[in-house]
Amino acid sequence: MGNFHCWLRFVYLWSFCFFGALGLSEEVYSERVVEIIEKSYNLEEDAEGLIAAFIEEDPKHPRGHFLKAARLYWLQYYAGYDVELSAEFERAAMDALAVAKRFNSNNKRDEDALFFLGMVELNLARYYVDRERWVSAFFKARSGMKHLRRVLRLNPDYHDAKQPFGLANCYLADAPSFLKVFARLVRFRGDYSEGMRLLRESKRLGYYTRYESSLYIADVSWAVQQDAAIAQVEIQELVDRFPRNVFFHLNLAILEEKQGDREAAIERLRHLVTMPELDDFLDLYVEAYLKLGYFINLNGEHEEALDYIERGLEALGERENALSLVSMAMFLKGSVLCDLRRMDDGLNVLRSIKREWHPALFGRAQEKIKEMEASKRSAEEL
């Protein structure tokens, strides 16, 4: 939802959320797994200890290793691909893959064993997609989906395994530009109606994927159909269920503004920037302050808007791996300064945005500069 999260649509293409993708047949573990899922989504710290206990109790089973890698994936994602967390995820994911392969070799007709193996591979595929490592992503995705097809041949009612096929159908029915290369590689022609049917089936019948399905229905509805109303309903459900999840709050605010309720969006963002969980995720922290400043500026409160935008920009510093976000912050700051009639200051900020940081925002900045310079000349002629 929004430019900041546009790449998220591709991240989800061949996978579904790895906190909730466990088709375990052992009833004894069900409640504990659900507890981990919910605590992880709600950003509760003791989820890590629960996962460690799983691994310690049965180190040869992929369950705990899978959960560990999944949790680390989301943490590094929320944190803007934190270098240390990303490296930790890669180690955990490779460990999980090794365990899953050994487990599957001894349980070839076990649908859960196949499911774990397929999803561990898709976990890595998603990570590679994030970093535009297309070849690695393709081979991991192809292998993972192959295992999930075998799961569904063994058990057509394994609803959790249907979700990736739903996503693929929705996103590739009319592939946007950033998916066209991958669509050609996989030679997959999607069917949006079938894809949405599978996603809704996963939400209704998938014991472990019901929360994730809400997220994907929202993302597909907004990304493919531009239907913010459906997306807002789904994200609202997630916010109600996981009130500490700052990512869900941020996306709900964006959707509220898209739906014309800017005051609700501003109120939500004011609350969001006070949440202690936000301090752990720098990119989300910055995005929240920038969105709050942007929405407030649209209401004509330019001084207050500038304050929030400057807080976000200050938090970013000079991070070389976040130059697109730096560009957005500087574009907003320059625009607000112009709105405050501090024309020279605003133009200087806009001129400092570099093309290599973010070509699209550079182009918008150049257009804004021309507009402001023309306005300045007109004022001087009067």
PDB file of all heavy atoms in Angstrom, residues 89-109:
ATOM      1  N   PHE A  89      19.443 -14.066   9.400  1.00  0.00           N
ATOM      2  CA  PHE A  89      18.398 -14.781   8.687  1.00  0.00           C
ATOM      3  C   PHE A  89      18.977 -15.781   7.698  1.00  0.00           C
ATOM      4  O   PHE A  89      18.526 -16.926   7.603  1.00  0.00           O
ATOM      5  CB  PHE A  89      17.481 -13.820   7.938  1.00  0.00           C
ATOM      6  CG  PHE A  89      16.692 -14.500   6.865  1.00  0.00           C
ATOM      7  CD1 PHE A  89      15.600 -15.287   7.186  1.00  0.00           C
ATOM      8  CD2 PHE A  89      17.070 -14.403   5.528  1.00  0.00           C
ATOM      9  CE1 PHE A  89      14.889 -15.970   6.197  1.00  0.00           C
ATOM     10  CE2 PHE A  89      16.373 -15.077   4.538  1.00  0.00           C
ATOM     11  CZ  PHE A  89      15.278 -15.860   4.872  1.00  0.00           C
ATOM     12  N   GLU A  90      19.967 -15.358   6.927  1.00  0.00           N
ATOM     13  CA  GLU A  90      20.547 -16.249   5.919  1.00  0.00           C
ATOM     14  C   GLU A  90      21.097 -17.514   6.567  1.00  0.00           C
ATOM     15  O   GLU A  90      20.895 -18.624   6.047  1.00  0.00           O
ATOM     16  CB  GLU A  90      21.652 -15.527   5.153  1.00  0.00           C
ATOM     17  CG  GLU A  90      21.139 -14.480   4.186  1.00  0.00           C
ATOM     18  CD  GLU A  90      22.226 -14.010   3.226  1.00  0.00           C
ATOM     19  OE1 GLU A  90      22.897 -14.874   2.630  1.00  0.00           O
ATOM     20  OE2 GLU A  90      22.405 -12.791   3.085  1.00  0.00           O
ATOM     21  N   ARG A  91      21.790 -17.361   7.695  1.00  0.00           N
ATOM     22  CA  ARG A  91      22.317 -18.543   8.389  1.00  0.00           C
ATOM     23  C   ARG A  91      21.185 -19.443   8.862  1.00  0.00           C
ATOM     24  O   ARG A  91      21.234 -20.672   8.691  1.00  0.00           O
ATOM     25  CB  ARG A  91      23.186 -18.109   9.578  1.00  0.00           C
ATOM     26  CG  ARG A  91      24.502 -17.447   9.179  1.00  0.00           C
ATOM     27  CD  ARG A  91      25.426 -17.305  10.385  1.00  0.00           C
ATOM     28  NE  ARG A  91      24.863 -16.414  11.388  1.00  0.00           N
ATOM     29  CZ  ARG A  91      25.081 -15.105  11.427  1.00  0.00           C
ATOM     30  NH1 ARG A  91      25.835 -14.531  10.497  1.00  0.00           N
ATOM     31  NH2 ARG A  91      24.561 -14.360  12.390  1.00  0.00           N
ATOM     32  N   ALA A  92      20.156 -18.834   9.448  1.00  0.00           N
ATOM     33  CA  ALA A  92      19.037 -19.621   9.955  1.00  0.00           C
ATOM     34  C   ALA A  92      18.283 -20.312   8.824  1.00  0.00           C
ATOM     35  O   ALA A  92      17.854 -21.467   8.956  1.00  0.00           O
ATOM     36  CB  ALA A  92      18.089 -18.726  10.754  1.00  0.00           C
ATOM     37  N   ALA A  93      18.124 -19.627   7.693  1.00  0.00           N
ATOM     38  CA  ALA A  93      17.403 -20.208   6.562  1.00  0.00           C
ATOM     39  C   ALA A  93      18.155 -21.388   5.958  1.00  0.00           C
ATOM     40  O   ALA A  93      17.551 -22.412   5.601  1.00  0.00           O
ATOM     41  CB  ALA A  93      17.149 -19.135   5.504  1.00  0.00           C
ATOM     42  N   MET A  94      19.464 -21.264   5.844  1.00  0.00           N
ATOM     43  CA  MET A  94      20.254 -22.370   5.304  1.00  0.00           C
ATOM     44  C   MET A  94      20.247 -23.557   6.263  1.00  0.00           C
ATOM     45  O   MET A  94      20.198 -24.716   5.829  1.00  0.00           O
ATOM     46  CB  MET A  94      21.680 -21.911   5.018  1.00  0.00           C
ATOM     47  CG  MET A  94      21.774 -20.834   3.932  1.00  0.00           C
ATOM     48  SD  MET A  94      20.909 -21.250   2.385  1.00  0.00           S
ATOM     49  CE  MET A  94      21.863 -22.665   1.843  1.00  0.00           C
ATOM     50  N   ASP A  95      20.286 -23.289   7.569  1.00  0.00           N
ATOM     51  CA  ASP A  95      20.169 -24.372   8.547  1.00  0.00           C
ATOM     52  C   ASP A  95      18.812 -25.062   8.418  1.00  0.00           C
ATOM     53  O   ASP A  95      18.720 -26.303   8.454  1.00  0.00           O
ATOM     54  CB  ASP A  95      20.338 -23.828   9.969  1.00  0.00           C
ATOM     55  CG  ASP A  95      21.768 -23.435  10.285  1.00  0.00           C
ATOM     56  OD1 ASP A  95      22.676 -23.844   9.536  1.00  0.00           O
ATOM     57  OD2 ASP A  95      21.972 -22.718  11.288  1.00  0.00           O
ATOM     58  N   ALA A  96      17.766 -24.254   8.283  1.00  0.00           N
ATOM     59  CA  ALA A  96      16.420 -24.812   8.160  1.00  0.00           C
ATOM     60  C   ALA A  96      16.297 -25.666   6.902  1.00  0.00           C
ATOM     61  O   ALA A  96      15.658 -26.729   6.913  1.00  0.00           O
ATOM     62  CB  ALA A  96      15.388 -23.681   8.139  1.00  0.00           C
ATOM     63  N   LEU A  97      16.920 -25.220   5.805  1.00  0.00           N
ATOM     64  CA  LEU A  97      16.855 -25.982   4.562  1.00  0.00           C
ATOM     65  C   LEU A  97      17.559 -27.327   4.710  1.00  0.00           C
ATOM     66  O   LEU A  97      17.048 -28.362   4.258  1.00  0.00           O
ATOM     67  CB  LEU A  97      17.493 -25.177   3.431  1.00  0.00           C
ATOM     68  CG  LEU A  97      17.473 -25.820   2.044  1.00  0.00           C
ATOM     69  CD1 LEU A  97      16.048 -26.117   1.598  1.00  0.00           C
ATOM     70  CD2 LEU A  97      18.165 -24.908   1.031  1.00  0.00           C
ATOM     71  N   ALA A  98      18.726 -27.330   5.357  1.00  0.00           N
ATOM     72  CA  ALA A  98      19.458 -28.584   5.552  1.00  0.00           C
ATOM     73  C   ALA A  98      18.658 -29.561   6.401  1.00  0.00           C
ATOM     74  O   ALA A  98      18.569 -30.765   6.082  1.00  0.00           O
ATOM     75  CB  ALA A  98      20.811 -28.295   6.202  1.00  0.00           C
ATOM     76  N   VAL A  99      18.044 -29.066   7.475  1.00  0.00           N
ATOM     77  CA  VAL A  99      17.240 -29.924   8.343  1.00  0.00           C
ATOM     78  C   VAL A  99      16.015 -30.444   7.590  1.00  0.00           C
ATOM     79  O   VAL A  99      15.650 -31.623   7.696  1.00  0.00           O
ATOM     80  CB  VAL A  99      16.822 -29.164   9.611  1.00  0.00           C
ATOM     81  CG1 VAL A  99      15.827 -29.983  10.436  1.00  0.00           C
ATOM     82  CG2 VAL A  99      18.042 -28.829  10.456  1.00  0.00           C
ATOM     83  N   ALA A 100      15.361 -29.560   6.820  1.00  0.00           N
ATOM     84  CA  ALA A 100      14.158 -29.957   6.079  1.00  0.00           C
ATOM     85  C   ALA A 100      14.474 -31.027   5.037  1.00  0.00           C
ATOM     86  O   ALA A 100      13.697 -31.970   4.843  1.00  0.00           O
ATOM     87  CB  ALA A 100      13.536 -28.735   5.413  1.00  0.00           C
ATOM     88  N   LYS A 101      15.610 -30.908   4.359  1.00  0.00           N
ATOM     89  CA  LYS A 101      15.981 -31.911   3.368  1.00  0.00           C
ATOM     90  C   LYS A 101      16.228 -33.272   4.024  1.00  0.00           C
ATOM     91  O   LYS A 101      15.790 -34.310   3.505  1.00  0.00           O
ATOM     92  CB  LYS A 101      17.226 -31.453   2.609  1.00  0.00           C
ATOM     93  CG  LYS A 101      16.959 -30.365   1.581  1.00  0.00           C
ATOM     94  CD  LYS A 101      18.242 -29.988   0.837  1.00  0.00           C
ATOM     95  CE  LYS A 101      17.955 -28.981  -0.260  1.00  0.00           C
ATOM     96  NZ  LYS A 101      19.177 -28.574  -0.982  1.00  0.00           N
ATOM     97  N   ARG A 102      16.941 -33.270   5.141  1.00  0.00           N
ATOM     98  CA  ARG A 102      17.190 -34.542   5.830  1.00  0.00           C
ATOM     99  C   ARG A 102      15.893 -35.155   6.327  1.00  0.00           C
ATOM    100  O   ARG A 102      15.674 -36.367   6.200  1.00  0.00           O
ATOM    101  CB  ARG A 102      18.154 -34.319   7.006  1.00  0.00           C
ATOM    102  CG  ARG A 102      19.596 -34.072   6.593  1.00  0.00           C
ATOM    103  CD  ARG A 102      20.537 -34.208   7.771  1.00  0.00           C
ATOM    104  NE  ARG A 102      20.268 -33.219   8.804  1.00  0.00           N
ATOM    105  CZ  ARG A 102      20.858 -32.022   8.855  1.00  0.00           C
ATOM    106  NH1 ARG A 102      21.733 -31.663   7.917  1.00  0.00           N
ATOM    107  NH2 ARG A 102      20.573 -31.188   9.823  1.00  0.00           N
ATOM    108  N   PHE A 103      15.031 -34.337   6.873  1.00  0.00           N
ATOM    109  CA  PHE A 103      13.759 -34.830   7.402  1.00  0.00           C
ATOM    110  C   PHE A 103      12.895 -35.399   6.284  1.00  0.00           C
ATOM    111  O   PHE A 103      12.285 -36.463   6.421  1.00  0.00           O
ATOM    112  CB  PHE A 103      13.029 -33.690   8.115  1.00  0.00           C
ATOM    113  CG  PHE A 103      11.803 -34.112   8.859  1.00  0.00           C
ATOM    114  CD1 PHE A 103      11.903 -34.683  10.120  1.00  0.00           C
ATOM    115  CD2 PHE A 103      10.550 -33.936   8.306  1.00  0.00           C
ATOM    116  CE1 PHE A 103      10.761 -35.069  10.812  1.00  0.00           C
ATOM    117  CE2 PHE A 103       9.403 -34.312   8.989  1.00  0.00           C
ATOM    118  CZ  PHE A 103       9.512 -34.887  10.246  1.00  0.00           C
ATOM    119  N   ASN A 104      12.850 -34.701   5.148  1.00  0.00           N
ATOM    120  CA  ASN A 104      12.034 -35.155   4.034  1.00  0.00           C
ATOM    121  C   ASN A 104      12.562 -36.446   3.428  1.00  0.00           C
ATOM    122  O   ASN A 104      11.782 -37.297   2.973  1.00  0.00           O
ATOM    123  CB  ASN A 104      11.960 -34.067   2.963  1.00  0.00           C
ATOM    124  CG  ASN A 104      11.078 -34.454   1.805  1.00  0.00           C
ATOM    125  OD1 ASN A 104       9.859 -34.555   1.940  1.00  0.00           O
ATOM    126  ND2 ASN A 104      11.684 -34.688   0.650  1.00  0.00           N
ATOM    127  N   SER A 105      13.892 -36.622   3.423  1.00  0.00           N
ATOM    128  CA  SER A 105      14.470 -37.841   2.839  1.00  0.00           C
ATOM    129  C   SER A 105      14.021 -39.091   3.586  1.00  0.00           C
ATOM    130  O   SER A 105      13.973 -40.180   3.011  1.00  0.00           O
ATOM    131  CB  SER A 105      15.993 -37.751   2.836  1.00  0.00           C
ATOM    132  OG  SER A 105      16.504 -37.769   4.159  1.00  0.00           O
ATOM    133  N   ASN A 106      13.659 -38.932   4.842  1.00  0.00           N
ATOM    134  CA  ASN A 106      13.184 -40.059   5.645  1.00  0.00           C
ATOM    135  C   ASN A 106      11.668 -40.113   5.751  1.00  0.00           C
ATOM    136  O   ASN A 106      11.125 -41.020   6.393  1.00  0.00           O
ATOM    137  CB  ASN A 106      13.778 -39.981   7.062  1.00  0.00           C
ATOM    138  CG  ASN A 106      15.286 -40.101   7.059  1.00  0.00           C
ATOM    139  OD1 ASN A 106      15.851 -40.892   6.308  1.00  0.00           O
ATOM    140  ND2 ASN A 106      15.947 -39.302   7.894  1.00  0.00           N
ATOM    141  N   ASN A 107      10.985 -39.130   5.143  1.00  0.00           N
ATOM    142  CA  ASN A 107       9.524 -39.057   5.260  1.00  0.00           C
ATOM    143  C   ASN A 107       8.928 -38.595   3.927  1.00  0.00           C
ATOM    144  O   ASN A 107       8.180 -37.620   3.867  1.00  0.00           O
ATOM    145  CB  ASN A 107       9.132 -38.074   6.369  1.00  0.00           C
ATOM    146  CG  ASN A 107       9.666 -38.448   7.726  1.00  0.00           C
ATOM    147  OD1 ASN A 107       9.062 -39.212   8.473  1.00  0.00           O
ATOM    148  ND2 ASN A 107      10.844 -37.911   8.058  1.00  0.00           N
ATOM    149  N   LYS A 108       9.254 -39.309   2.859  1.00  0.00           N
ATOM    150  CA  LYS A 108       8.924 -38.836   1.519  1.00  0.00           C
ATOM    151  C   LYS A 108       7.428 -38.778   1.230  1.00  0.00           C
ATOM    152  O   LYS A 108       6.994 -38.025   0.366  1.00  0.00           O
ATOM    153  CB  LYS A 108       9.621 -39.705   0.470  1.00  0.00           C
ATOM    154  CG  LYS A 108      11.137 -39.525   0.459  1.00  0.00           C
ATOM    155  CD  LYS A 108      11.769 -40.245  -0.702  1.00  0.00           C
ATOM    156  CE  LYS A 108      13.273 -40.061  -0.725  1.00  0.00           C
ATOM    157  NZ  LYS A 108      13.648 -38.646  -0.917  1.00  0.00           N
ATOM    158  N   ARG A 109       6.626 -39.574   1.927  1.00  0.00           N
ATOM    159  CA  ARG A 109       5.182 -39.564   1.704  1.00  0.00           C
ATOM    160  C   ARG A 109       4.443 -38.766   2.771  1.00  0.00           C
ATOM    161  O   ARG A 109       3.218 -38.763   2.812  1.00  0.00           O
ATOM    162  CB  ARG A 109       4.649 -40.998   1.672  1.00  0.00           C
ATOM    163  CG  ARG A 109       5.196 -41.852   0.549  1.00  0.00           C
ATOM    164  CD  ARG A 109       4.635 -41.439  -0.791  1.00  0.00           C
ATOM    165  NE  ARG A 109       3.196 -41.623  -0.888  1.00  0.00           N
ATOM    166  CZ  ARG A 109       2.448 -41.249  -1.915  1.00  0.00           C
ATOM    167  NH1 ARG A 109       3.019 -40.632  -2.934  1.00  0.00           N
ATOM    168  NH2 ARG A 109       1.152 -41.449  -1.915  1.00  0.00           N
TER     169      ARG A 109
END
